[in-house]
Amino acid sequence: MNFQIARFGSRLFGTGLDKIRNIGIIAHIDAGKTTTTERMLYYSGSISKLGDVDQGDTVTDYLETERNRGITIQSAAVTIPWNKYKINLIDTPGHSDFTFEVIRSLRVLDGVVTILDAVAGVEAQTEKVWKQAKDMNIPSIVYINKMDRDGANFNMTVRQIVSKLATRVVLCNIPYFVNDLKTQSHRFVGVVDIFEGTLLKYHENDDGNDVQVIPLNELSEFKDSEQVNQDVMKLREAAIETLGEFDDRIVDSYLETEDYMKVPTYILHEALAKATISQDVVPIFCGSSFKNIGVQPLMDGVSLYLPNPGEAQKPSVYSPVASVPVKIDPKSGCLINNNKNLCVAFAFKVITHPTRGLLTFVRVYSGILKSNSKVINTQTGDKFNIGKLMVMHGDKPHDVDQLGVGNIGVISINVENKRISTGDTLVCHTLKKSADGLHKNEKRLKLLPIEVPPPMFSVSLQPMTAGDRRGLDQSLNTLLMEDPSLHVHVDEDSGQTILSGMGELHLDIATTRLRDDLGARMEIGKVMINYKETILKPTTPVAKSIEDSAFKKGHFEITLSLDSFQGKPEDTGLIRKDSEGAVLLNDNNLVIFEQDCEPDFILERVKRVSRGDQDWDLPMTMENIQNTILSSIAASLQVGGPVAGLSMHSMIVRVHKWEIPQDFDKISSLVTLIRQAISTSIGQLSEKQTTLMEPIMDVAVHVGDSDLGTVSQDLSTARAAQVHSIDDELDSTSSEKLYWAKDLAENIPLPQDPADLASGRHSSPISGRKVVKAITPLREMMGYLPKLKSLTRGHGSYDMVYSGMQRVSPERLKVILDE
Ligand code: GDP
Ligand code: MG
């Protein structure tokens, strides 16, 4: 019988807030995210043919690069209708170079499905992403995939989930195997639903739509029915004991009947949803997406246990003008600034669709977004018409008139020079189809501002011929809109275009995309680390001035001096709440406008305008002028320092005084003066008073006990690392957590598992592995993976995150420059 019809009747597209699920899939690479997504689309009826990552024809991995490598790089969003629910699913990349991409996706999600490989269990990358989701308070359900593989071990994986992810669990279904007498092996053919007490038996080598739903009391024809019945009773009892804490009705009902099987299933579902959303419990499902087994129950799990937008946590909202109140209401969703007419949407992804061109995925956080609305992009200040609005049906965009609160949809704008990049916020008035009538606060608010880490690697790109320049620039433009963790600049000296990114793989994939998907014709240089420069001594103020014959009243002038600092600007005491004049630029550079540095006629004007005596009648606003000054300072610092022509970092630029003529209508002369003043200032310094800055990484190396010595030794001697801790792998934060999780994992009720019988052991999740944590320059970590593998006979693994830039000592400086 068809699975959906057997259990749910026909498929309907729900519209209410409570029917929306915005979820993501997180997992270690290769755990089966793409395969599972593909199956979900198929069972929902959104696609009629099953794609296969190994054949390269899946829906979500549609970029050439992704299909060739069989990995997901860009997260794509697809909408999956399922049993009156609308599941908006975002497939996230698994590799650590794309962590930023994962974090960004996580921020628009209300819940996640964590996919594990039943053979590998909980892997390092899973733990990392799990922690990120946990830190963002995003609830999860777990899907143990690949139950069909040799060596699949359900019980071991469950124990690892408990001990390594330190969480309580409820098993929603367990694997069902049949024994093959000929080969003396067992085959995974279905799942047993613990709540319903039914076996869902799948036809082998079928598309999985045809499922036999067998109540356990009719199981007698099967050999091991007794065992299955016992397992179900044991696990239902365990679930009820766990969930009793979250819903009094469970305890009441049990006390009444004293029978675990008689506690109403719907109450269990509701209690599990509550406990999942509060992140106290994780529901566990199992299956084999590749063999088409167990995916529909997982989809039920998504709709039953993960939160809808009205149950999800509040988005963080930032406005430079004033703080903005945010409320979440279970019925009407999120309300920002108490304004029902305020529509706020967040662009979480820009992709290049093979036939539709640039598509921007947005999540509407409050209000209603309508097609043809005039919106403000609060990041750029641009106002434009968004034109068509679409939602994904499966992976195909369909036009809609409007997108309500909590929904995810797609904008395709074709307005010249107007763009939406990933991470931008759009606002408009729900009734007026424009932003007119919105408050000043509302026109500048930003949703979920996300800190993009600085790029650490660069590669040079050279168009093949002069004629290829335009094509390269256009492709780079597209790539940058998609991925704000990529940066592009032109090296002044060589004229080369430099592309920078988060890691070697990141750049490798970006350049492949440029060449193969976007058709750029170029030569690609060698991947290099991004060093920066800084100064070691403050300079004395330099004044530059010029008379511009175009203006009669006054002249252009700038007086500034340079200094530098170490660490974060907020730790220096330079940015205080009251010191309004400090502005942080890229590269940790700080600009400080000294008191009354503005021209007298502008100071006068500001005073009179604020008293209401006069209008602002100058050709540029004060904000425009200051922004021009800031951007010229930023550009001048990027031009490159004296050591190796690299951009300057952690600098302080003090603006002591600036002048412009009273009859100015442009200030380009000031821009030139700023550049000259900065270059003269740097020129004051001797060679010894300048140095390079290099990226420093927080490194965590995972090794077995026996390799601990060699690995730590190598880190501190050969890699200039400062090792600051060596801990038990499980004990990442507190040992208290470790003990309860360890204890719980050892004692958790589990079904009989052929994998346990086969190995005749009760496999322990406690691995005896250690984590070495250290701080070390990125340069010393290049090519570390093969070295670590050889030191540990393949057993070691590591990950690292950017910690900051650090001044290079004179000895290291020489080594780096010689390179
Ligand atoms: P992703 O990297 O997480 O997106 O994983 P993919 O969906 O690309 O799958 C990685 C590999 O595992 C592919 O070769 C899949 O065919 C295979 N795979 C996925 N699910 C299963 C499964 O349930 N059983 C088996 N045996 N292989 C699977
Ligand atoms: Mg994938």
Side-chain angles (χ1 to χ4, degrees), residues 366 718 777 809:
S366 83
S809 67

Side-chain angles (χ1 to χ4, degrees), residues 219-257:
L219 247 191
S220 48
E221 59 186 284
F222 294 89
K223 206 176 89 266
D224 48 0
S225 59
E226 189 111 338
Q227 182 62 48
V228 175
N229 264 307
Q230 273 177 24
D231 283 344
V232 169
M233 277 204 295
K234 176 167 74 174
L235 295 173
R236 201 172 205 270
E237 179 180 332
I240 287 169
E241 296 209 321
T242 306
L243 295 175
E245 269 179 49
F246 301 92
D247 198 324
D248 289 341
R249 290 176 300 172
I250 294 180
V251 185
D252 296 345
S253 158
Y254 175 69
L255 290 179
E256 229 168 76
T257 59

Side-chain angles (χ1 to χ4, degrees), residues 30 55 149 155 183 188 258 270 307 341 364 493 534 542 582 664 700 711 744 791:
D30 266 3
Q55 305 288 333
R149 280 184 63 190
N155 286 359
T183 57
F188 177 62
E258 299 213 348
E270 284 175 20
N341 295 324
V364 178
D493 296 333
T534 197
V542 166
F664 78 100
V711 168
L744 190 61
L791 286 177

Side-chain angles (χ1 to χ4, degrees), residues 676-716:
Q676 288 171 1
I678 288 185
S679 120
T680 310
S681 302
I682 294 175
Q684 288 177 4
L685 300 165
S686 72
E687 200 181 308
K688 286 218 172 80
Q689 290 163 343
T690 57
T691 191
L692 288 184
M693 302 275 284
E694 65 175 335
I696 300 295
M697 310 302 286
D698 278 322
V699 183
V701 188
H702 298 246
V703 290
D705 258 338
S706 55
D707 299 321
L708 190 60
T710 353
V711 168
S712 330
Q713 170 84 14
D714 171 69
L715 277 171
S716 38

Side-chain angles (χ1 to χ4, degrees), residues 28-36 52-54 70 72 145-146 148-149 287-291:
H28 192 92
I29 194 156
D30 266 3
K33 291 182 300 291
T34 307
T35 308
T36 307
D52 183 339
V53 277
D54 306 311
T72 308
N145 187 31
K146 304 203 184 184
D148 62 297
R149 280 184 63 190
S288 162
S289 299
F290 184 67
K291 296 272 182 180

Side-chain angles (χ1 to χ4, degrees), residues 165-193:
L165 306 180
T167 179
R168 296 162 72 186
V169 297
V170 164
L171 303 187
C172 297
N173 60 29
I174 54 173
Y176 182 78
F177 301 92
V178 290
N179 290 318
D180 191 328
L181 292 175
K182 253 191 272 153
T183 57
Q184 287 289 322
S185 61
H186 54 272
R187 276 195 328 280
F188 177 62
V189 295
V191 296
V192 179
D193 185 326

Side-chain angles (χ1 to χ4, degrees), residues 603-617:
L603 281 173
E604 275 295 301
R605 180 96 33 158
V606 171
K607 262 186 227 153
R608 274 192 250 146
V609 169
S610 70
R611 279 203 309 262
D613 293 353
Q614 189 182 355
D615 283 340
W616 188 268
D617 54 359

